[in-house]
Each structure stands twice: as C-alpha cells, then as structure tokens.
Amino acid sequence: MNAVSRSVPRGIAARLLLPAGALAAVAGAFAYVGAVDPNEPGHYPACPLLRLTGLYCPGCGGLRSAHAVAHGDLLAALQANAPAVLGYAALAVLWTVWVVRAVRGTPLRIDPPPVLLWSLGAFVLVFTVVRNLPFGGWLHP
C-alpha cells in the first residue's frame, strides 16, 4: 500500500466529510449572526442598493431573518424576509438529501428543470417589486 492510498479516507465517513463541513460552515454562520444582532446599527454594512437608491433588494432583512431563526423566532424571521426563511428550509432539505445519498454511496445530482428556475426568478422579481411599492410596506424588513 502506497502513501497516497493510505491518506485517502474510505467508506461512509469519507463520504460524509463534505456534508459535515458544509453543516459546520452554515452552523458557524448562523451562530455568529445569532450572537451579533443585525438589528443594532454598526455590526454589519448597510445594503448598498438600499443606501444608494432607497429600494429594498430581495436580500434586505436576510440577516435579521437568520438572527430570528437562530433564536427560534419563526414569526419574526418571516416578517424580516419570508423568502429567506423558505430558502433556509429548502437548503436544510437539500442538505438532508445530500447526507442520505452520501450514506447510500450515490452522488447528489442537482438538475432543476428550467421551469423551476424561471419560477423562482419570477417569484424573487415579484417579491422585490411588491416590497418597494406603497402597498407592499408589509414586506419591508
């Protein structure tokens, strides 16, 4: 057995290294945002689009939403940025599928149909436009 083959991990543990690393990175990010409150000024930079134009981008409120999720306040998270909460849930489901496939030894293939991608894009566009209209004030972070 040569040195290269001894250094390459094998089995389920090796297949779970990447999902575990991704989980650690996301958990670390949520822990940081949970500890450093984005509702208090001076901790994070302001959204450049909001600062320059006064318009809310689709990500505005995302850090507040993550902070609320980290503290278990789902209602506040949805009020800050509902699409972000949906994104967190979708990523959690995707990560779970990744782990199950890694345990089974099958590769994770992400190949969404174009209609899904166009639908997500349209949803984000409509969300962004509506939250910047006078009657969309309830979507402001």
Side-chain angles (χ1 to χ4, degrees), residues 9-19 99-105:
R10 300 185 187 277
I12 292 175
R15 294 191 303 261
L16 290 175
L17 281 176
L18 284 176
V99 168
V100 168
R101 287 180 171 262
V103 168
R104 292 181 179 166

Side-chain angles (χ1 to χ4, degrees), residues 51-106:
R51 176 174 271 171
L52 293 173
T53 67
L55 297 174
Y56 294 103
C57 77
C60 282
L63 285 175
R64 290 182 201 92
S65 176
H67 180 78
V69 167
H71 288 273
D73 191 351
L74 186 60
L75 185 57
L78 288 168
Q79 289 172 339
N81 191 321
V85 175
L86 295 174
Y88 307 149
L91 288 175
V93 168
L94 180 62
W95 182 84
T96 303
V97 169
W98 187 15
V99 168
V100 168
R101 287 180 171 262
V103 168
R104 292 181 179 166
T106 56

